[in-house]
Amino acid sequence: MTNEKNLRSLLEAVANGKVSPDIALDSLKGLTYESVGEFAKIDHHRQLRTGFPEVIWGPGKTPDQIAQIIEVMRLRNPVVMATRIESAVYSALQAKVRGLRYYEMARICAIAPPTIEPQFQGEIGILSAGTADLPVAEEAAVTAELSGFQVKRLWDVGVAGIHRLLNNRHVIDSASVLIVVAGMEGALPSVVAGLANCPVIAVPTSVGYGASFSGLAPLLTMLNSCAAGVGVVNIDNGFGAAVLAGQILRTAEKLRLASPES
């Protein structure tokens, strides 16, 4: 009942007399949130409010806690995702959770169908400045794909070898929204935004020497971008960038469907 289509079908069934109010009430009892032991309350209603289900933040939780949360969430969601899961934690989860998949570079584990077809029009282009930025870039890519969006990856195209980016202009030109991940001085989003005709989401990473201050230097560079149309998320926040990109495409879809010509 956390899916809008299923909820509408239930309400129509009650209105048509095919389902009793008592049965409908029983189906909706866990709509707001559901307790897991004494350590978590799962926000099942988030999918209806925002279009994205709640996602499990891994650090600070024990494997047993993560496993219990996954088992509760999988009963109501076709995709359940946990972020920042290190390989040792995943190894412990394997024995506790059936059918769990692991995306090692992204540090994401998930319950998901083997293939997820894109549910929305448009493409999210994801660019990384360097190979060391890939964990954050892959976190964005996997999050977007598990959320039902089409993704195009372009790795290791930082400004130190700008020809690598310019030789792949087609990725920038074809994207509906771009996520640009960079550490060090964080200049790549400004360059990309100067070439792109779509929103650019900049993601600073904690990659760099001492004066990058664990991502603070690229964060400030991105906030001070001289190119227009750049939004910035927090340091290493590939997940948040993917959700923002998804919301942009979802909004575009709503506007398209609301158009008299659609």
Side-chain angles (χ1 to χ4, degrees):
M1 288 304 104
T2 56
N3 179 280
E4 184 174 350
K5 182 179 179 181
N6 292 342
L7 181 58
R8 183 180 295 276
S9 296
L10 176 65
L11 295 176
E12 289 175 349
V14 173
N16 295 331
K18 296 179 180 179
V19 174
S20 71
D22 288 340
I23 292 176
L25 178 61
D26 188 61
S27 299
L28 296 172
K29 280 182 179 178
L31 183 61
T32 52
Y33 67 86
E34 181 176 356
S35 296
V36 182
E38 296 182 353
F39 56 83
K41 293 179 175 61
I42 307 304
D43 182 10
H44 293 306
H45 194 262
R46 192 173 304 184
Q47 172 82 41
L48 286 171
R49 294 197 317 270
T50 70
F52 294 91
E54 185 170 17
V55 171
I56 303 162
W57 169 256
K61 296 182 178 70
T62 67
D64 188 59
Q65 289 172 333
I66 296 170
Q68 289 185 59
I69 294 170
I70 290 173
E71 293 295 352
V72 170
M73 294 183 68
R74 76 187 304 173
L75 298 176
R76 294 176 178 268
N77 298 281
V79 176
V80 180
M81 187 170 73
T83 64
R84 300 301 167 95
I85 302 296
E86 301 299 337
S87 57
V89 176
Y90 172 66
S91 297
L93 289 172
Q94 276 186 298
K96 301 173 182 292
V97 181
R98 174 181 47 84
L100 193 64
R101 297 164 58 187
Y102 188 51
Y103 303 84
E104 185 174 8
M105 181 65 72
R107 294 171 295 173
I108 287 173
C109 64
I111 301 290
T115 58
I116 300 177
E117 294 297 324
Q119 302 171 29
F120 302 94
Q121 293 185 1
E123 179 181 273
I124 300 175
I126 306 181
L127 285 63
S128 79
T131 304
D133 300 310
L134 284 185
V136 176
E138 271 294 327
E139 181 181 70
V142 172
T143 297
E145 289 173 334
L146 290 174
S147 299
F149 297 96
Q150 182 177 349
V151 169
K152 179 71 173 181
R153 293 166 169 82
L154 180 59
W155 297 160
D156 197 22
V157 289
V159 297
I162 196 68
H163 56 290
R164 298 172 298 178
L165 176 68
L166 299 179
N167 286 344
N168 289 276
R169 275 290 303 273
H170 62 280
V171 176
I172 297 173
D173 295 339
S174 66
S176 305
V177 58
L178 287 158
I179 296 172
V180 184
V181 184
M184 298 290 187
E185 85 283 22
L188 184 60
S190 290
V191 175
V192 171
L195 301 171
N197 65 350
C198 65
V200 173
I201 301 169
V203 188
T205 73
S206 51
V207 172
Y209 293 105
S212 69
F213 299 109
S214 299
L216 181 59
L219 172 64
L220 293 175
T221 296
M222 294 171 186
L223 288 171
N224 286 288
S225 173
C226 62
V230 178
V232 186
V233 298
N234 208 347
I235 299 168
D236 291 337
N237 192 6
F239 168 78
V243 172
L244 177 55
Q247 291 288 37
I248 291 170
L249 292 186
R250 286 172 59 87
T251 299
E253 181 77 357
K254 285 194 295 185
L255 292 172
R256 185 185 68 82
L257 294 175
S259 171
E261 298 179 357
S262 63

